[in-house]
Amino acid sequence: MGKPAKSYVSTTNACKLCKPLGACLAFKGIEGAVPYLHGSQGCATYMRRYIISHFREPMDIASSSLGEKHAIYGGGPNLKLGLKNVITKYDCRLVGIATTCLTETIGDDTPMYLNEFRREFKDLLDSHDSPELVSVSTPSYSGTHMEGFHEALRAVVDQISRSGPRHSRITIMPGFVSPADTRYLKEIIGDFGMSATIFPDISTSLDGVAAVVYEKLASGGVPLSEIREMGASPASLEFGRTLDKAHTAAGLLENDYHIPCYSLGTPVGLRETDRFFETLSSLSHSPIPEKHEMERGRLIDAYVDAHKYSFGVRAVVYGEEDLVVGLTSFLAEIGVKVVLCASGGESGRLKEAVGSVTTDLLSEPPIVVEGVDFHEIAEIAERLHPDILIGNSKGYHLARRWGVPFVRVGFPIHDRFGGQRILHLGYRGAQSLLDGIVNAVIETRQEASDIGYTYY
Amino acid sequence: MKAVKEEPNALGIETVDPDEVKQTLLAKVPTKVARKRAKQIVINKTGEDPEVPEIGANTRTIPGIITQRGCTYAGCKGVILGPTRDIVNITHGPIGCGFYSWLTRRNQTRPAGPDDYNFMTYCFSTDMQESDIVFGGEKKLRTAIQEAYDLFKPKAISIFSTCPVGLIGDDVHSVAREMKEKLGINVFAFSCEGYKGVSQSAGHHIANNGIFTHVVGLDDAVKGGKYRINLLGEYNIGGDAFEIDRILEDCGITVVSTFSGNSSYDEFANAHTADLNTIMCHRSINYVAEMMETKFGIPWIKINFLGAKACAKSLRKIARYFEDAELIERVEEVIARELPEVEKVAEEVSRRCEGKRAMLFVGGSRAHHYQELFAEIGMKTICAGYEFAHRDDYEGRKVLPFLKVDADSRNIEELEVHADPERYRPRKTAEDMERLQSEGFRFKDYDGMMPEMMKNTLVIDDISQHETEKLLEIYKPDVFCAGIKEKFAVQKSGIPMKQLHSYDSGGPYAGFRGAVNFYREIDRMVNSKVWKYIKAPWQESPELTARYACD
Ligand code: SF4
Ligand code: SF4
């Protein structure tokens, strides 16, 4: 199911990033957390560089800086020394330790080292207000940054959350969405009069304000107290149709703490957003706030207005699997003919998920491929004569080669400004995606016109 | 003469005691860490001994400290081989390492024609999976090489090992040999696992050794040009090499090869036919020049095209080497034509920049060379340091005999090079070299950064994020230069930050036109009004808040 006929053994221009990067992003959404890679320093430097170029924000990732000697004799001593330095310097609330290919290959037992550390450095931990140490195994030779992201969240819940008296704060795991998306989710929750933990919350930690005094640890993120209490949350909502609950935080909460888990599609476009709002409405026993009703109404109005531009446009969509599903659902609503859905991820569920959001709208389902790279995407797409490309910056060369408009969404966006502020979710996100896509289409027509009309 | 520059009250930081700053940087870090860092944080002053003080460099970064440094693989694949457009570079490893080095540096390249290869926009990887880690990745690597060959029919394919490869014991070199035989093109591999060295510097070395072994010398044809040089350690960020080429060409000097900006396989193969090696970045390539001298008889000199004056000086040095009146005259003509315009801009910009203070923490030579550009617009460098340099880049080549060999440096193969029986051809007789030297011409010489910095400046090797923050707090410089990883943290402190790896998408900054670009850019940055908006009016004057509150 969903497995493409992969035509190459090697990967040319990958459409995925590596696992610990996703883990670092997830940790960054926790208040007072420092991501830490157990491995050699290059991985941390590379990932910092990558994350920073998208968000244009500081991103510290510590490393145990292993050398050849440690690769042979084990990285325990360096891990401990590194932790000691991080805790001393940052006064952090949590250190999120992700392993790398190196430490996974040599088989370092990270949880064991951490237990030793907790014993050996008890005084240090005590004198720094006992920061949490969470570890997650993230070998990049199995899985992409998205698996790393979800595994990290799961590890945090597994190692920190506790049961307790039920409270009223629901938990929302939106997946890897932008800071702007996260802020918007908070607004929606507030408008419903509910309280929620959005986990992770990178809305401030990766899109902060210009400050007079530099904060060593960016503010924002989910407070540890809320993470602890997730085990007593009334419900959790998890976005992503390709997720497997056996590997997600909400799955763990359901399994270990019997917290009802609402698995929803990433709410991109009208119908997936409707499902999300309905869920909130039923959980809060309150109607959809008028403000959002209005936004929904305006969105549909715009759908109607846009139809003459968007209908029949042939699109190629790529990126993280759940984003691709959401985008495809939305594009189908506005009459765009998605010809290819592609991802470097390989959940085995992409095809089914795309099918479930498009069957009632598309006469012909798009081709869906998993585990592919941009070279393979190009080979397939070229036969399909796309009119538009939708995805992260890494597809730019294809759009350029084909001479088609390119709408940037998701991560990484390092050839445009404001990637962290792109809104994908909800009625409002759909509105802004719609405007962007329609304008890209108009711009192309206008450029191609000999006359240079100014009415479209 | 003292080795550091002394000029009383010249820095504008007299109120700051560098010794105290050093203590502040070392405060609150565990004793062992402090002891190690103390050696790498040096106050640039001379005592009884007129030489600059010793600095600790090229030692491992302490775990848990946020460093600017990358890994050996990054230096090998990303820096040295990355800018070469027509070699297919395959990363052997899991996907991340390759992905992160995919066209992230802003090296520019100019293919000779529409049919010329340019693979720089590609990222080839074996994308190792669990089974490759368990059962070995050689088979996959072989297939990857075959696939790349079938797709592109390149002249050469190179393979880069990432950390797991060395650990599982894949023999990348034997796979390379085998595929070279099979495909009939040049295939070579690098054991540049990230953990191997202290920083990317180790990777530069491994890469350059590899090019020297597998490529240099494959094409003996002496192509045109009267004054034929190689430009070593110039990576063509933001088009620097294009500007240098323009000037050299104007002078009638032919660049046989550039290592490795706008570089190509054929140029490397032909590099040994040049008559002089000129070195921009001493750190990343001085050993190649040494090897070329031993093997082929090509002398080398240090030059620097950053800074208009340095550029003029370098051109004169090259002309002097060739001892040709026609060339010397031509070089003077070019300088006379180019320099006045540059000086005019420098003067205009100086009016706004004079006396402002810069900090540079970057690379293995940039932190030194860019000081020239700042000086030309009247700015002072108050603190500087390298990311991955060695002691000789700080203190000068005179310390070379005293460098300690440790486990990490032993890891990098020192090639044993001998004079080539057929092709060794001294470009100058021993007498000529001696005569030139007696006239003050300096071969294979580099004095390093510290002797050119002012007294009481701070020199810090492998600066950490924490130390950066402290320095900004204490000195409040007018501009801070480093890379993208530091950019936003520095700007959050309200200080303009200039990237000297990617140039913030600007450049070129080398050569004469480059100097003008740089002056204007720094002018824009240090005189920008944007910083004053950081504080809202009610934060600036609390009475405003009070008034609003009363309203
Ligand atoms: S070794 Fe693994 S964790 Fe490190 S950059 Fe490469 S793929 Fe990512
Ligand atoms: S795994 Fe090794 S080679 Fe790859 S980025 Fe990390 S340190 Fe560098």
Side-chain angles (χ1 to χ4, degrees):
Chain A
M1 261 310 286
K3 187 95 178 124
K6 195 167 157 49
S7 35
Y8 297 96
V9 168
S10 58
T11 295
T12 301
N13 301 349
C15 185
K16 60 179 176 182
L17 289 88
C18 80
K19 218 168 172 179
L21 176 129
C24 291
L25 286 166
F27 290 136
K28 190 71 183 172
I30 298 170
E31 190 176 68
V34 178
Y36 183 118
L37 292 186
H38 183 36
S40 89
Q41 80 202 10
C43 312
T45 296
Y46 267 149
M47 288 176 221
R48 288 180 65 208
R49 197 210 169 289
Y50 235 85
I51 294 169
I52 289 170
S53 65
H54 174 90
F55 292 97
R56 297 178 200 255
E57 287 289 321
M59 175 79 186
D60 289 1
I61 302 177
S63 156
S64 37
S65 293
L66 300 182
E68 181 148 44
K69 191 176 84 199
H70 320 106
I72 296 166
Y73 298 109
N78 270 41
L79 173 62
K80 292 177 193 169
L81 179 56
L83 284 174
K84 185 175 145 198
N85 287 330
V86 166
I87 293 165
T88 318
K89 282 266 167 64
Y90 282 93
D91 259 327
C92 49
R93 300 285 79 251
L94 177 146
V95 188
I97 301 127
T99 60
T100 62
C101 301
L102 187 154
T103 42
E104 288 290 335
T105 304
I106 62 175
D108 258 7
D109 187 343
T110 308
M112 181 189 80
Y113 292 147
L114 292 185
N115 281 334
E116 290 172 5
F117 183 85
R118 287 187 188 101
R119 277 200 307 276
E120 292 162 20
F121 291 88
K122 191 173 177 308
D123 292 348
L124 176 85
L125 287 166
D126 288 348
S127 64
H128 287 85
D129 218 4
S130 311
E132 296 277 0
L133 309 175
V134 172
S135 75
V136 58
S137 158
T138 42
S140 288
Y141 45 76
S142 63
T144 70
H145 61 299
M146 284 320 295
E147 278 76 25
F149 183 92
H150 289 292
E151 293 288 358
L153 294 185
R154 187 173 165 99
V156 171
V157 170
D158 185 33
Q159 294 166 47
I160 295 186
S161 301
R162 301 281 168 267
S163 58
R166 272 283 143 103
H167 53 77
S168 62
R169 202 165 47 243
I170 62 167
T171 309
I172 298 181
M173 282 100 169
F176 179 23
V177 296
S178 74
D181 288 325
T182 315
R183 281 192 289 272
Y184 175 46
L185 287 175
K186 288 184 178 175
E187 181 184 328
I188 296 171
I189 297 299
D191 292 341
F192 269 100
M194 304 169 81
S195 77
T197 297
I198 302 191
F199 182 55
D201 175 3
I202 56 169
S203 61
T204 308
S205 55
L206 283 174
D207 196 12
V209 299
V212 188
V213 184
Y214 181 69
E215 306 175 295
K216 197 163 198 45
L217 271 172
S219 52
V222 182
L224 268 188
S225 56
E226 290 190 18
I227 297 177
R228 292 204 180 94
E229 287 170 8
M230 272 182 201
S233 174
S236 45
L237 273 63
E238 189 166 63
F239 299 163
R241 284 177 181 265
T242 71
L243 296 179
D244 172 1
K245 276 199 229 166
H247 295 283
T248 69
L252 187 134
L253 286 174
E254 184 179 55
N255 202 49
D256 291 9
Y257 301 99
H258 312 292
I259 293 169
C261 170
Y262 296 83
S263 299
L264 299 169
T266 305
V268 183
L270 187 76
R271 294 163 305 148
E272 293 284 60
T273 305
D274 282 348
R275 286 181 198 114
F276 171 51
F277 273 84
E278 278 160 18
T279 310
L280 291 182
S281 176
S282 86
L283 284 171
S284 64
H285 309 290
S286 47
I288 291 167
E290 196 195 335
K291 175 172 125 194
H292 298 281
E293 287 273 16
M294 294 294 285
E295 288 196 49
R296 183 180 189 278
R298 277 194 291 273
L299 177 65
I300 294 170
D301 190 54
Y303 272 21
V304 174
D305 297 345
H307 210 246
K308 68 170 182 168
Y309 306 107
S310 56
F311 183 76
V313 169
R314 302 168 67 83
V316 169
V317 183
Y318 61 86
E320 290 95 4
E321 291 172 86
D322 288 314
L323 179 65
V324 166
V325 175
L327 287 168
T328 306
S329 170
F330 157 69
L331 291 166
E333 291 165 359
I334 61 169
V336 167
K337 187 168 169 46
V338 180
V339 290
L340 175 64
C341 296
S343 178
E346 258 184 297
S347 68
R349 282 178 290 275
L350 183 60
K351 188 167 185 173
E352 192 190 327
V354 167
S356 62
V357 294
T358 54
T359 34
D360 22 330
L361 287 173
L362 298 181
S363 50
E364 207 184 313
I367 297 176
V368 178
V369 285
E370 290 185 8
V372 286
D373 57 36
F374 281 104
H375 191 77
E376 290 158 322
I377 293 176
E379 282 194 348
I380 306 167
E382 266 155 26
R383 297 193 301 268
L384 302 169
H385 310 292
D387 302 312
I388 194 168
L389 191 66
I390 300 170
N392 58 56
S393 286
K394 288 295 174 190
Y396 170 69
H397 289 104
L398 299 186
R400 183 179 159 115
R401 197 191 312 157
W402 301 335
V404 301
F406 179 31
V407 176
R408 288 166 180 82
V409 291
F411 172 92
I413 296 176
H414 39 47
D415 60 347
R416 280 295 181 276
F417 191 67
Q420 74 276 46
R421 289 182 290 272
I422 293 181
L423 197 56
H424 310 80
L425 301 188
Y427 303 126
R428 206 179 291 164
Q431 184 69 70
S432 101
L433 290 175
L434 179 69
D435 294 346
I437 289 167
V438 167
N439 284 332
V441 169
I442 293 178
E443 188 178 336
T444 313
R445 288 188 197 161
Q446 189 171 34
E447 299 267 299
S449 152
D450 293 336
I451 297 166
Y453 294 108
T454 54
Y455 285 95
Y456 275 89
Chain B
M1 199 188 86
K2 293 258 181 175
V4 300
K5 295 192 175 174
E6 285 193 46
E7 207 182 299
N9 298 333
L11 286 173
I13 49 168
E14 289 66 33
T15 47
V16 186
D17 172 6
D19 285 288
E20 250 172 57
V21 178
K22 179 169 175 175
Q23 292 322 313
T24 316
L25 295 182
L26 296 175
K28 282 208 234 150
V29 296
T31 331
K32 253 170 97 183
V33 178
R35 213 177 304 135
K36 178 160 187 289
R37 285 307 290 160
K39 295 193 189 120
Q40 291 171 276
I41 302 175
V42 167
I43 296 138
N44 199 38
K45 62 181 174 198
T46 49
E48 305 268 282
D49 174 4
E51 300 298 342
V52 290
E54 179 178 333
I55 187 165
N58 195 34
T59 53
R60 285 210 160 260
T61 301
I62 300 156
I65 303 293
I66 311 280
T67 171
Q68 303 181 332
R69 288 173 168 174
C71 68
T72 307
Y73 161 85
C76 183
K77 195 264 178 182
V79 176
I80 305 291
L81 270 297
T84 308
R85 62 178 168 268
D86 53 0
I87 300 177
V88 165
N89 294 326
I90 301 178
T91 298
H92 186 35
I95 199 60
C97 325
F99 189 97
Y100 303 128
S101 58
W102 176 11
L103 204 66
T104 35
R105 284 173 59 83
R106 285 194 63 254
N107 323 92
Q108 301 193 1
T109 202
R110 207 175 267 161
D115 298 330
D116 197 5
Y117 296 113
N118 182 8
F119 302 120
M120 276 170 58
T121 57
Y122 286 88
C123 166
F124 302 95
S125 169
T126 52
D127 192 0
M128 285 174 118
Q129 297 300 306
E130 184 129 31
S131 58
D132 306 314
I133 299 288
V134 178
F135 302 109
E138 291 180 16
K139 188 163 152 249
K140 195 166 194 187
L141 177 60
R142 234 174 261 127
T143 316
I145 296 171
Q146 185 70 48
E147 286 180 349
Y149 176 78
D150 293 343
L151 275 177
F152 297 104
K153 303 276 179 322
K155 297 173 192 173
I157 295 177
S158 56
I159 299 144
F160 302 85
S161 311
T162 66
C163 289
V165 170
L167 300 173
I168 62 172
D170 275 4
D171 187 348
V172 291
H173 302 283
S174 84
V175 173
R177 276 193 299 275
E178 186 189 312
M179 294 308 282
K180 179 176 177 177
E181 188 109 323
K182 180 174 175 203
L183 303 174
I185 61 163
N186 203 353
V187 183
F188 43 95
F190 298 94
S191 289
C192 54
E193 286 84 354
Y195 58 72
K196 278 219 159 137
V198 164
S199 67
Q200 48 272 64
S201 167
H204 305 150
H205 208 141
I206 292 171
N208 283 317
N209 279 352
I211 299 180
F212 187 77
T213 309
H214 297 288
V215 190
V216 172
L218 291 180
D219 174 11
D220 287 331
V222 179
K223 303 185 182 141
K226 197 162 165 198
Y227 317 107
R228 300 162 47 77
I229 69 167
N230 291 323
L231 193 54
L232 305 186
E234 166 49 52
Y235 300 98
N236 201 23
I237 304 290
D240 277 351
F242 294 149
E243 165 66 0
I244 298 171
D245 283 351
R246 176 188 75 84
I247 298 167
L248 290 173
E249 205 175 293
D250 225 353
C251 296
I253 299 164
T254 305
V255 178
V256 178
S257 73
T258 304
F259 279 57
S260 44
N262 188 31
S263 47
S264 71
Y265 178 78
D266 292 342
E267 281 186 7
F268 288 155
N270 193 241
H272 64 298
T273 67
D275 295 321
L276 174 68
N277 276 324
T278 62
I279 294 195
M280 267 296 273
C281 171
H282 174 263
R283 174 66 273 126
S284 55
I285 203 150
N286 66 79
Y287 32 85
V288 170
E290 291 277 296
M291 293 190 291
M292 285 217 235
E293 178 155 23
T294 312
K295 188 165 177 184
F296 301 108
I298 311 171
W300 72 264
I301 58 171
K302 175 79 181 75
I303 45 96
N304 168 30
F305 287 106
L306 289 162
K309 289 198 193 80
C311 183
K313 199 167 139 198
S314 297
L315 291 173
R316 291 188 174 117
K317 193 169 176 185
I318 296 170
R320 180 88 186 81
Y321 165 83
F322 283 104
E323 300 189 86
D324 179 300
E326 193 190 324
L327 177 64
I328 293 173
E329 194 180 318
R330 181 66 197 144
V331 160
E332 289 308 327
E333 276 168 26
V334 170
I335 295 172
R337 194 194 60 212
E338 302 266 343
L339 208 50
E341 175 59 28
V342 185
E343 282 172 343
K344 211 170 87 198
V345 180
E347 203 215 47
E348 182 221 314
V349 168
S350 297
R351 272 181 251 144
R352 290 178 296 271
C353 295
E354 186 81 51
K356 294 204 189 291
R357 300 150 317 135
M359 290 188 181
L360 301 94
F361 289 96
V362 60
S365 67
R366 290 179 193 270
H368 177 192
H369 294 332
Y370 275 84
Q371 295 187 23
E372 301 258 359
L373 280 161
F374 280 115
E376 287 174 353
I377 49 172
M379 289 180 62
K380 318 269 180 211
T381 301
I382 50 172
C383 305
Y386 296 122
E387 195 177 334
F388 51 76
H390 302 192
R391 271 186 65 197
D392 39 326
D393 307 299
Y394 286 104
E395 302 167 54
R397 286 178 67 87
K398 62 178 186 297
V399 302
L400 281 176
F402 313 106
L403 292 190
K404 280 194 223 78
V405 178
D406 59 13
D408 284 307
S409 44
R410 241 192 307 272
N411 239 334
I412 298 147
E413 186 193 15
E414 281 295 340
L415 299 181
E416 213 183 294
V417 180
H418 302 285
D420 188 287
E422 274 114 54
R423 297 181 292 179
Y424 179 79
R425 181 171 60 83
R427 304 314 202 257
K428 292 230 177 247
T429 62
E431 296 81 64
D432 281 345
M433 302 260 294
E434 225 157 87
R435 179 178 43 77
L436 272 172
Q437 262 162 324
S438 70
E439 292 165 12
F441 190 90
R442 298 170 78 196
F443 287 100
K444 39 165 106 193
D445 206 64
Y446 180 45
D447 289 337
M449 174 168 83
M450 287 163 68
E452 289 197 4
M453 289 180 67
M454 297 282 207
K455 186 179 168 187
N456 278 341
T457 48
L458 263 188
V459 183
I460 304 179
D461 182 58
D462 184 25
I463 195 170
S464 70
Q465 181 64 36
H466 166 80
E467 290 159 357
T468 303
E469 289 155 21
K470 282 272 168 266
L471 282 189
L472 295 177
E473 233 176 85
I474 299 169
Y475 287 100
K476 303 197 176 47
D478 296 289
V479 64
F480 188 93
C481 304
I484 187 165
K485 296 189 301 298
E486 295 73 42
K487 180 159 182 101
F488 301 97
V490 173
Q491 291 191 166
K492 283 241 190 279
S493 315
I495 287 159
M497 195 284 176
K498 179 66 195 162
Q499 293 186 59
L500 289 186
H501 281 299
S502 76
Y503 293 0
D504 286 298
S505 308
Y509 296 139
F512 297 113
R513 291 182 189 166
V516 169
N517 289 340
F518 193 77
Y519 304 155
R520 294 232 181 270
E521 171 75 349
I522 296 303
D523 185 18
R524 176 188 69 76
M525 295 182 83
V526 303
N527 293 306
S528 165
K529 305 269 182 294
V530 71
W531 308 102
K532 71 171 202 262
Y533 301 127
I534 287 188
K535 267 196 181 174
W538 55 89
Q539 287 172 301
E540 300 266 25
S541 39
E543 64 277 15
L544 265 184
T545 331
R547 209 181 65 216
Y548 286 142
C550 298
D551 289 348

